Amino acid sequence: MTLSDRVRLVFAGLCTLDILQLVASYPADNEKVTALDQTVAAGGPATNAAVTAACLGASATLLTAVGRHPLAAGIHADLASSGVKLIDLAADDDGPPSVSSIVVSAGTGNRAVVSTNGAARTLSTPDLSLLAGAQAVQVDGHYPEIAAAVLREARRLGIPTLLDAGSWKPVTPSLLPLLDVVVCSADFRPPGVTDVPAFLAAHGVRWIAISQGPAPILRWTGGDLRPQPVPSTKVVDTLGAGDVLHGALTSAVARRWPLTDDTFAESLDEAAAVASRSCASFGTRAWMRKP
């Protein structure tokens, strides 16, 4: 693949410094345990999606907030080694970056997460000319003003737009009319809504799916939901699997745009295969180094 063959993708959203520790079992109150393994990497929905896309051969640009605190050096180094172009909208911020402390149970692959979401940071306005030539844009709903600005400009340029809808956010209703593809988790629940796909379709979204972990993805066809099985795998760690799904999906959609029912189904299958593979190793990076 030459540089000219790579799809150009832009991701906008949260970036954290993820500190992950693998334990035999979760500690009880006032108990200390020794970790079996640990890893430190940049994280957050849009960030993990951008790293995934870069791993799959795309040219990935990330708009986010990192700052110049000493801890930010680790984020810069990780993203650079992952091939992601970082545009830091909080480059002059002296405060520490958002940090996620994550404990993963070796027995189940489940995790406990304590994090901050960066909501208090002041961001500069991005130069939206960077969207020229992009083949898809994905946002995660963090930093709402940035998400809205990026989606509006992408829509003006005719670039397909995607949302990682992991959970309902107050900004979500204002973003939906600007979106082509929304894949939401089973935890995504608009207030008072029982039929999520119909709700999204009523707001103008055409390509909709619901991810359910190891259960089949539910793909909206415009009239009903059709299940798409996901590959089974021996689960070691589920952290970031949804982010990986969205990064792989953004790349797949960009290569198949404009979508049909068949190519949307193909894109979901491709993304699910990558996300399942990511669950077979500890952390959000090890799967990328495996053949």
Side-chain angles (χ1 to χ4, degrees):
M1 179 183 294
T2 66
L3 289 177
S4 60
D5 293 329
R6 300 168 69 193
V7 292
R8 291 192 56 216
L9 309 175
V10 176
F11 298 83
L14 183 64
C15 184
T16 62
L17 181 66
D18 285 0
I19 302 171
L20 293 80
Q21 294 185 312
L22 183 69
V23 298
S25 60
Y26 292 139
D29 288 348
N30 298 314
E31 179 186 10
K32 293 182 179 180
V33 298
T34 300
L36 304 173
D37 197 359
Q38 72 171 11
T39 184
V40 179
T47 300
N48 285 331
V51 171
T52 297
C55 174
L56 297 175
S59 170
T61 298
L62 173 65
L63 281 72
T64 188
V66 177
R68 58 185 183 184
H69 186 278
L71 286 176
I75 293 175
H76 282 273
D78 181 60
L79 293 178
S81 67
S82 299
V84 173
K85 179 181 178 181
L86 170 64
I87 297 180
D88 186 2
L89 304 179
D92 295 327
D93 193 324
D94 293 326
S98 300
V99 175
S100 290
S101 302
I102 303 144
V103 180
V104 178
S105 169
T108 64
N110 293 329
R111 77 278 189 192
V113 181
V114 179
S115 65
T116 53
N117 62 14
R121 307 198 81 162
T122 300
L123 277 62
S124 62
T125 302
D127 178 2
L128 295 178
S129 66
L130 65 89
L131 293 180
Q135 289 161 274
V137 167
Q138 184 206 302
V139 302
D140 63 13
H142 292 276
Y143 305 122
E145 295 83 1
I146 301 303
V150 167
L151 292 177
R152 280 194 298 267
E153 181 64 7
R155 179 56 59 89
R156 187 185 73 82
L157 295 173
I159 301 167
T161 55
L162 299 89
L163 172 67
D164 174 352
S167 61
W168 179 260
K169 297 177 178 64
V171 69
T172 304
S174 65
L175 301 182
L176 293 180
L178 302 171
L179 289 159
D180 296 302
V181 181
V182 173
V183 176
C184 50
S185 73
D187 296 328
F188 180 82
R189 284 286 182 271
V193 172
T194 56
D195 189 339
V196 173
F199 171 83
L200 295 175
H203 283 76
V205 183
R206 171 58 185 91
W207 306 106
I208 301 164
I210 301 173
S211 63
Q212 305 183 104
I217 293 173
L218 301 178
R219 175 174 57 87
W220 177 250
T221 65
D224 60 8
L225 287 170
R226 296 187 183 176
Q228 291 190 210
V230 300
S232 60
T233 189
K234 182 179 180 180
V235 174
V236 174
D237 182 6
T238 59
L239 181 72
D243 308 338
V244 171
L245 176 78
H246 287 277
L249 180 65
T250 301
S251 180
V253 165
R255 286 183 278 104
R256 292 177 172 89
W257 191 260
L259 294 175
T260 65
D261 283 335
D262 287 343
T263 56
F264 185 41
E266 292 170 2
S267 298
L268 288 169
D269 283 341
E270 181 179 312
V274 178
S276 294
R277 181 154 53 99
S278 75
C279 294
S281 54
F282 171 61
T284 56
R285 299 288 187 270
W287 69 271
M288 300 178 183
R289 298 189 286 271
K290 292 187 175 183

